[in-house]
Amino acid sequence: MSDSPPTTPCDEGGETRHQGIPVSPGIARGVVVVRSDGFLEPVSYRVRAERVPSELDRFEAALVQTRGEIHELQREILQSGRKSEASIFDAHLLILEDRSVLDEVSASLEKERWNIETVFFRVMRRFMDSLRSIDDPYLRERVIDIEDVAKRVLRKLARGGDAMEKTVGHAHILLALDLTPSDTAEMDAELVLGFATEMGSVTSHTAIVARSMGIPAVVGLHGIREKVHTGRTILLDGYSGLLIVDPTEETLAQYSELERAKSAVVEKLVELRHTRARTSDGMAITLSANIEFAHESSAVVDSGAEGVGLYRTEFFYMNPRALPGEDEQAENYARVVSAVNPHGVIIRTLDIGGDKMPVEGVAYQEANPFLGWRGIRMSLELPDLFRSQVRAILRASAVGKVRIMFPLISGLEEIRKARAHVESCKDELRKQGVPFDEEIQIGAMIEVPSAAVIADQLAAEVDFFSIGTNDLIQYTLAVDRVNDRVAGLYQPEHPAIMRLLKQIVDAAHQGNIWAGLCGEMAGDIHLTPFLVGIGIDELSVSPSLIPRVKSAVQKLEAAACRTLASEVLSLNRSADIRERCKGIAMEHYPELLI
Ligand code: PEP
Ligand code: MG
């Protein structure tokens, strides 16, 4: 047994495989860092009996330093006159003196002989778990204090002293219970090679952000943090959803081969960059890109997309954790617009709410956030916020082709109110002599079943539709899009969804407007034959998927897809629909489906 941190795993055994849900493609190999209860699990290693006293000394020193740090913090807070805040830290000091915890740490160290960080981490985790299970709001609240103190002590124990627990200085694969979209957006893609979570789903915004950042990710690995600990070497397969612990040489060789095959396909697709997504019999589809950050515009251009079909602006609001002003927004949007010129950009107004939770200043806790204060509902109730965004979008429309799109439209009234704000913002800008595109087009996302049902009426009020299948599926099938427990019921190819999509596209065409699709379904090339068959006008997908979807469209024949679509609409089982579409896809582009 070693008494220094291992470079090899501390748990024994050969290769083990754990199946999760793949949500962001790519392969990552590296050392695991586990995040538990909001803080990082330390590296574990065994210590010899004679090292026990020195481990206890390290612990004692860390406690003394932590007490000093808390006293210092209290002093600063008192000096700034915030007396009640300073008293919170009295509770933290009491935790550091709690004999039951300290005795359990020494007893566990003697008995189990793991390094002191591991012993302390495990004791604190047990302590927090037991408090959480007690039906007392006061005790549950105390978990936050305990976590805070535990993090301080672990920082002191950590090699390198005060390293922040949120950042790890070396490349690693992160394992966590769950991650928020902003946790993901803040990741340093150079250091986080991939991540795996116990919870999550394909259409969660955490997964969407991972894909846009090119970070391989697997979710739905229940209980993985009990089985895999910090320091283990793993391979994470973001294509199939496998997490492989201690991969053998043979597995690594297989994966190198797979990566070679995948990059050969990608290299071939580069040739398509300057071509259009047009079927063999001449039906053209506009293929545009979804982005979450302005810096993705170069990837949009490189991918050969015809502009941006969905700019999810809420991530711009979320990252600085404060609301950007009108000028800052106008600059951000103009940057994207100039980068993709002469193609256009569809800028969607704020869609905070649901799992894109809250930014400072518009925080609101709800029992059912996906059914609550979200998207256009929030914008209409916060006119100052909304109008500053609309004005910024209008200003960016002077730089190049811009369209405005509203999220979560559920009825005519919302569209009319939102349009009225656009008109009055235009008046303001006109009076101020600020240039903008007088003819700017306005679109509605069709992602709420009520909007789908009245699509014919909505078509008379807007210039285009963009179908948000991520939400349309969850709301139509009553399946939470971020809940992995019901992920099997989240079926894009459900007969009800197929019918709704056809109805929406037909309503758009009868109303002489175009209909696009910007949910994750747009990038699922198994379903491209059906979407072509119902006459979709635009598909908007993550930039990395553009070449693949373009190639799929080019290999299809629109007439055959129309026949397939009418056949599919008469089928009544999701599995049959998927099989039928997959059959056509396999026939026309098997090389894209590896
Ligand atoms: C959708 O719902 O399909 C969509 C594109 O919007 P978001 O994923 O941001 O909710
Ligand atoms: Mg949506």
Side-chain angles (χ1 to χ4, degrees):
M1 266 180 216
S2 150
D3 58 358
S4 59
T7 47
T8 49
C10 47
D11 309 32
E12 284 93 32
E15 172 179 303
T16 50
R17 294 179 171 226
H18 305 270
Q19 183 66 56
I21 305 169
V23 296
S24 181
I27 309 289
R29 288 177 208 80
V31 172
V32 162
V33 171
V34 178
R35 189 153 127 192
S36 281
D37 296 313
F39 56 103
L40 299 174
E41 182 182 289
V43 173
S44 303
Y45 55 97
R46 298 278 194 189
V47 293
R48 286 192 292 262
E50 61 269 28
R51 277 293 297 267
V52 167
S54 67
E55 288 296 278
L56 281 173
D57 287 347
R58 285 208 300 128
F59 185 46
E60 190 49 46
L63 293 178
V64 170
Q65 281 176 28
T66 307
R67 274 188 215 111
E69 186 179 270
I70 294 176
H71 280 304
E72 177 63 17
L73 204 64
Q74 254 184 335
R75 202 177 49 76
E76 280 169 22
I77 293 172
L78 277 173
Q79 267 173 3
S80 63
R82 293 173 289 153
K83 209 167 161 206
S84 61
E85 247 174 77
S87 66
I88 295 171
F89 292 99
D90 287 334
H92 288 200
L93 288 166
L94 283 177
I95 296 165
L96 285 173
E97 276 146 29
D98 186 328
R99 269 305 354 141
S100 63
V101 173
L102 302 183
D103 289 349
E104 196 178 332
V105 171
S106 344
S108 300
L109 176 65
E110 289 282 359
K111 193 163 146 228
E112 295 164 13
R113 290 210 232 113
W114 288 104
N115 56 324
I116 189 67
E117 291 89 340
T118 300
V119 173
F120 178 68
F121 176 83
R122 291 181 184 172
V123 168
M124 294 309 271
R125 197 168 61 182
R126 276 200 296 276
F127 189 31
M128 291 191 290
D129 283 348
S130 64
L131 281 185
R132 273 196 204 98
S133 65
I134 300 171
D135 192 17
D136 178 335
Y138 171 76
L139 287 179
R140 279 204 303 267
E141 280 289 302
R142 299 265 300 155
V143 173
I144 297 167
D145 292 329
I146 295 167
E147 184 180 312
D148 197 78
V149 172
K151 279 180 187 173
R152 283 181 195 279
V153 175
L154 283 169
R155 276 202 296 257
K156 296 284 168 278
L157 286 169
R159 296 172 161 248
D162 269 340
M164 282 282 293
E165 76 285 342
K166 227 185 159 185
T167 55
V168 181
H170 57 83
H172 63 282
I173 298 173
L174 185 66
L175 245 61
L177 176 66
D178 201 7
L179 293 167
T180 64
S182 48
D183 280 337
T184 314
E186 282 169 4
M187 278 176 190
D188 178 344
E190 301 265 301
L191 294 179
V192 184
L193 304 173
F195 69 78
T197 59
E198 300 205 7
M199 298 166 79
S201 70
V202 181
T203 54
S204 70
H205 286 91
T206 297
I208 289 170
V209 173
R211 285 194 286 276
S212 80
M213 293 173 73
I215 300 178
V218 174
V219 304
L221 285 158
H222 287 275
I224 195 71
R225 291 168 312 142
E226 293 304 318
K227 297 175 193 137
V228 182
H229 297 283
T230 294
R232 297 298 290 268
T233 301
I234 65 163
L235 185 146
L236 190 69
D237 177 351
Y239 298 107
S240 72
L242 270 183
L243 184 155
I244 307 177
V245 185
D246 298 338
T248 60
E249 287 302 320
E250 197 188 341
T251 301
L252 291 174
Q254 279 165 1
Y255 271 95
S256 301
E257 190 44 50
L258 177 72
E259 279 179 301
R260 254 195 303 278
K262 296 248 180 220
S263 49
V265 174
V266 171
E267 269 162 40
K268 244 187 142 277
L269 295 178
V270 171
E271 295 161 12
L272 303 180
R273 194 178 151 189
H274 298 293
T275 64
R276 283 209 71 193
R278 194 188 297 275
T279 61
S280 60
D281 52 348
M283 173 185 162
I285 289 184
T286 303
L287 190 53
S288 38
N290 291 351
I291 60 167
E292 282 73 47
F293 309 100
H295 66 75
E296 288 179 89
S297 11
S298 55
V300 173
V301 176
D302 292 346
S303 72
E306 295 172 81
V308 172
L310 169 64
Y311 182 7
R312 288 186 167 96
T313 55
E314 50 278 2
F315 289 92
F316 175 41
Y317 283 71
M318 216 173 276
N319 261 350
R321 298 188 183 280
L323 302 177
E326 181 184 317
D327 290 348
E328 203 185 328
Q329 292 178 69
E331 272 166 38
N332 178 293
Y333 304 150
R335 200 157 6 115
V336 177
V337 176
S338 330
V340 307
N341 224 357
H343 297 302
V345 180
I346 299 180
I347 304 180
R348 182 175 75 180
T349 59
L350 269 185
D351 186 21
I352 293 172
D355 64 334
K356 288 173 283 196
M357 279 316 277
V359 292
E360 230 170 70
V362 281
Y364 184 64
Q365 289 299 328
E366 299 173 285
N368 292 303
F370 273 115
L371 299 179
W373 207 45
R374 186 188 165 192
I376 197 67
R377 301 170 183 180
M378 178 187 279
S379 292
L380 292 176
E381 277 189 37
L382 299 174
D384 290 346
L385 179 78
F386 185 45
R387 292 172 70 86
S388 85
Q389 185 172 31
V390 170
R391 283 174 55 102
I393 298 173
L394 287 169
R395 282 166 58 182
S397 74
V399 177
K401 179 97 189 135
V402 172
R403 296 180 174 98
I404 304 185
M405 177 157 79
F406 301 120
L408 215 79
I409 292 295
S410 62
L412 288 183
E413 282 311 296
E414 283 159 346
I415 267 291
R416 288 182 181 155
K417 284 184 190 156
R419 285 199 79 121
H421 279 292
V422 175
E423 288 312 315
S424 86
C425 287
K426 281 181 169 179
D427 281 345
E428 281 173 10
L429 293 177
R430 248 180 243 118
K431 284 192 194 113
Q432 291 165 353
V434 178
F436 64 91
D437 175 8
E438 288 281 355
E439 305 301 322
I440 190 164
Q441 290 188 359
I442 294 181
M445 289 215 48
I446 306 294
E447 51 184 350
V448 178
S450 58
V453 171
I454 58 157
D456 56 332
Q457 296 172 356
L458 283 171
E461 308 276 333
V462 292
D463 301 301
F464 65 93
F465 286 162
S466 188
I467 308 172
T469 42
N470 301 341
D471 280 312
L472 187 63
I473 296 168
Q474 79 160 343
Y475 294 133
T476 305
L477 303 182
V479 179
D480 182 347
R481 67 188 264 188
V482 297
N483 182 346
D484 57 290
R485 293 272 171 201
V486 287
L489 298 173
Y490 188 95
Q491 294 164 354
E493 55 288 293
H494 191 288
I497 302 298
M498 300 283 108
R499 280 193 200 182
L500 271 188
L501 294 180
K502 168 90 168 88
Q503 283 166 22
I504 298 165
V505 173
D506 285 351
H509 292 168
Q510 273 151 25
N512 294 318
I513 63 168
W514 60 266
L517 196 155
C518 62
E520 298 309 297
M521 188 179 184
D524 180 350
I525 56 174
H526 292 107
L527 298 177
T528 312
F530 175 77
L531 298 175
V532 170
I534 58 169
I536 200 84
D537 299 290
E538 182 231 26
L539 292 172
S540 192
V541 303
S542 140
S544 63
L545 292 175
I546 292 280
R548 206 170 279 267
V549 177
K550 191 183 279 184
S551 177
V553 171
Q554 290 177 345
K555 295 202 157 138
L556 291 167
E557 193 198 356
C561 292
R562 281 193 284 275
T563 309
L564 165 88
S566 52
E567 202 187 310
V568 157
L569 288 164
S570 68
L571 297 175
N572 48 24
R573 287 181 55 229
S574 308
D576 295 341
I577 293 175
R578 185 149 194 97
E579 264 322 293
R580 192 70 195 90
C581 293
K582 205 171 155 185
I584 299 283
M586 278 305 279
E587 197 181 305
H588 289 82
Y589 39 82
E591 74 287 359
L592 299 177
L593 298 168
I594 61 159

